[in-house]
Amino acid sequence: MDKIIVLDFGSQYSHLICRRIREFSVYAELVPYDISYEEIQKMNPKGVIFSGGPSSVYSDDAPNPENKIFEMNLPLLGICYGHQLIVNKFGGKVKRANKEYGSSVLTIDNDKDLLSDLGESLRAWMSHGDEAEEIPPGFKIIGHTEGAKAAAIASEEKKVFGIQFHPEVVHTELGTEILKNFVLKVCGAKQEWTMEGFIDSSVEKISKIEGNVLCGVSGGIDSTVAALLIHKAIGDRLKCVFVNNGLLRWNEEKEIEEMFKENFKVNFNSIDASQEFLSKLKGVEDPEDKRKIVGEEFVRVFTNFAESNGPFKWLAQGTLYPDVIESGVSKGPAAVIKSHHNVGGLPEWLDLEILEPLRELYKDEVRKIAKILGVPEKLLMRHPFPGPGLSVRIIGEVTDTKLMIAKKASKIVEEELMNGGIYEKVWQAYAAVGDDRAVGVVGDERRYGNIVMIRVVDSIDAMTADWTRLPHGILEKMSNRITNEIEDVTWVTYTISSKPPATIEPQ
Ligand code: XMP
């Protein structure tokens, strides 16, 4: 398959370059900037992109790729820091300039190749401190902004391009078209990266493995899709384990079992360990202690299953591409399978190798595969849910009453967001409960009941979050239903803390 390699110089947008390119069906892979020339040759790309990065090409610790990479006779595109690298390496000059952040108008001076079919000008997103003062011999300026006279340069002969702005961010108009011009027109890459193709090739690869595969499934999209792909390849040699820890959302254990057993005919083993989990959590109030207990109990249940249903050779995990990159163990596209032992707290004697069928994929690609494989819409759009489940949404000790309140109230919150057409627009939504109580009147009677905290947040990656400005009508419905339908609740509050300083979960 034709591919483009993106050398990562540390810009926060590096991943986005790959994602944008994959969105128009060409495979793109992010690699560290110090990848060797030989490794690049082995990968046989149709073109190479240098990402942006926080450094200045003149600083002592400026990241520098191997010189031979500039002489590969492959089309090159430098973005921001990558642009300055190209200017510098091909004999031009970079100078310190006034920092330029935000949107500028790029005037197109030469509408061939990279900047073809884009009109006369466009809004481009700049974020740089250095700029090209002198362009290298053999290059010409193909676009400029008010602040940067050489905002886009090209050597048509060498097929080398540099742009000072970021085409990968949505604030750059026609940014995808610029990447398309480079990838499709300049590099001539074919649009062969489709999720249907990915399913076929991974099923083929996985079908060659020997031995049984164990896969822990949570009902989340990543573990579900990993399990379905493996099941397509090896059928009942895959055994899925779902642990009901008693801390799940309303009816969740039934819905997940139904999906796996009825829709997909997967060898699905649901272990009801709720009593064990809840009895271990009795009397425990500290948030970290609760997390630790849930984690240890999970490993114990999982290990017991593996021991009595084995032997297993493989442990399947739904690891995604950004996790692979972050952990620094990227081994390229062939590495669907990696050898590793003693993961996630599982004992070494289980001697499991790791199978990670999604390690080349971004989340949106996993969603596409889920759709193709027929995963129900309801699961596709479900919000993320923390591993320790409701134990982190119940402040203080997990008691039966608080568990029941958290489940019922969260169900109401979700239902009302769905009724209002807002559920899919927010990052997470639930109702938490603690030990605080408040007086209410029900009929003519005084009642001393629990206080429920509704939490709805907007976020892009859970690193930061803002509380959602919900319409008052929706809040009113939630509040009325919670106090009417859950006898133990007298007061409903809405949390208006963002992250930071708060976190998304209360514990
Ligand atoms: P916080 O509360 O730290 O949460 O702002 C950030 C995101 O992570 C989720 N979360 C977890 N996910 N295991 C998980 O798998 C955990 O222990 C855990 N704790 C928090 C949380 O739901 C939010 O999306």
Side-chain angles (χ1 to χ4, degrees), residues 291 386-388 427-428 462 499 503-505:
R291 282 171 180 273
W427 176 263
Q428 270 174 300
K499 173 183 179 176
T503 49
I504 294 177
E505 307 293 351

Side-chain angles (χ1 to χ4, degrees), residues 23-240:
E23 275 163 16
F24 56 83
S25 305
V26 175
Y27 183 72
E29 195 174 328
L30 193 67
V31 297
Y33 75 87
D34 56 357
I35 183 172
S36 72
Y37 170 72
E38 284 73 27
E39 273 177 274
I40 292 193
Q41 275 196 319
K42 251 190 257 162
M43 292 170 80
N44 192 23
K46 297 292 278 186
V48 175
I49 296 179
F50 297 155
S51 82
S55 302
S56 159
V57 288
Y58 287 131
S59 69
D60 291 340
D61 54 356
N64 253 312
E66 228 179 280
N67 275 332
K68 275 199 272 181
I69 294 173
F70 294 91
E71 295 148 15
M72 275 189 308
N73 263 338
L74 272 179
L76 296 180
L77 169 65
I79 294 173
C80 202
Y81 176 78
H83 167 64
Q84 289 143 21
L85 255 178
I86 281 173
V87 171
N88 198 28
K89 291 282 175 182
F90 285 94
K93 242 188 183 168
V94 174
K95 69 162 186 193
R96 280 237 159 265
N98 288 333
K99 284 194 167 36
E100 191 182 10
Y101 290 113
S103 177
S104 294
V105 176
L106 176 84
T107 304
I108 293 171
D109 301 313
N110 184 323
D111 62 355
K112 276 172 70 180
D113 302 326
L114 190 72
L115 301 184
S116 59
D117 304 321
L118 303 172
E120 286 170 10
S121 66
L122 51 92
R123 290 222 148 259
W125 186 258
M126 308 288 241
S127 159
H128 66 102
D130 291 353
E131 71 171 55
E133 182 178 36
E134 253 174 53
I135 64 168
F139 280 73
K140 62 181 174 200
I141 292 173
I142 57 171
H144 69 275
T145 64
E146 206 180 314
K149 67 177 176 17
I153 61 167
S155 160
E156 280 164 23
E157 184 208 331
K158 292 190 169 75
K159 294 194 176 177
V160 175
F161 302 85
I163 49 180
Q164 187 58 74
F165 56 93
H166 290 271
E168 68 277 22
V169 304
V170 288
H171 314 290
T172 294
E173 276 173 353
L174 302 173
T176 300
E177 298 307 309
I178 296 172
L179 290 172
K180 266 189 188 167
N181 280 344
F182 178 71
V183 171
L184 305 179
K185 290 187 189 159
V186 177
C187 302
K190 290 198 267 317
Q191 291 165 286
E192 298 165 323
W193 171 250
T194 63
M195 290 306 105
E196 286 83 357
F198 176 86
I199 294 172
D200 290 345
S201 67
S202 25
V203 167
E204 196 193 322
K205 268 185 235 167
I206 298 167
S207 63
K208 296 199 176 103
I209 67 169
E210 286 174 359
N212 291 340
V213 179
L214 175 64
C215 183
V217 289
S218 63
I221 185 159
D222 302 342
S223 60
T224 301
V225 170
L228 294 182
L229 272 180
I230 299 168
H231 181 251
K232 242 173 136 47
I234 63 167
D236 276 355
R237 278 202 285 136
L238 166 76
K239 289 188 186 175
C240 291

Side-chain angles (χ1 to χ4, degrees), residues 276-305:
E276 286 99 310
F277 277 82
L278 296 178
S279 71
K280 287 258 162 63
L281 286 169
K282 260 215 164 73
V284 184
E285 293 181 0
D286 182 79
E288 285 309 308
D289 289 348
K290 289 196 285 187
R291 282 171 180 273
K292 200 163 153 254
I293 288 169
V294 174
E296 284 170 357
E297 198 53 23
F298 181 82
V299 169
R300 195 186 63 74
V301 175
F302 202 73
T303 307
N304 280 348
F305 178 87

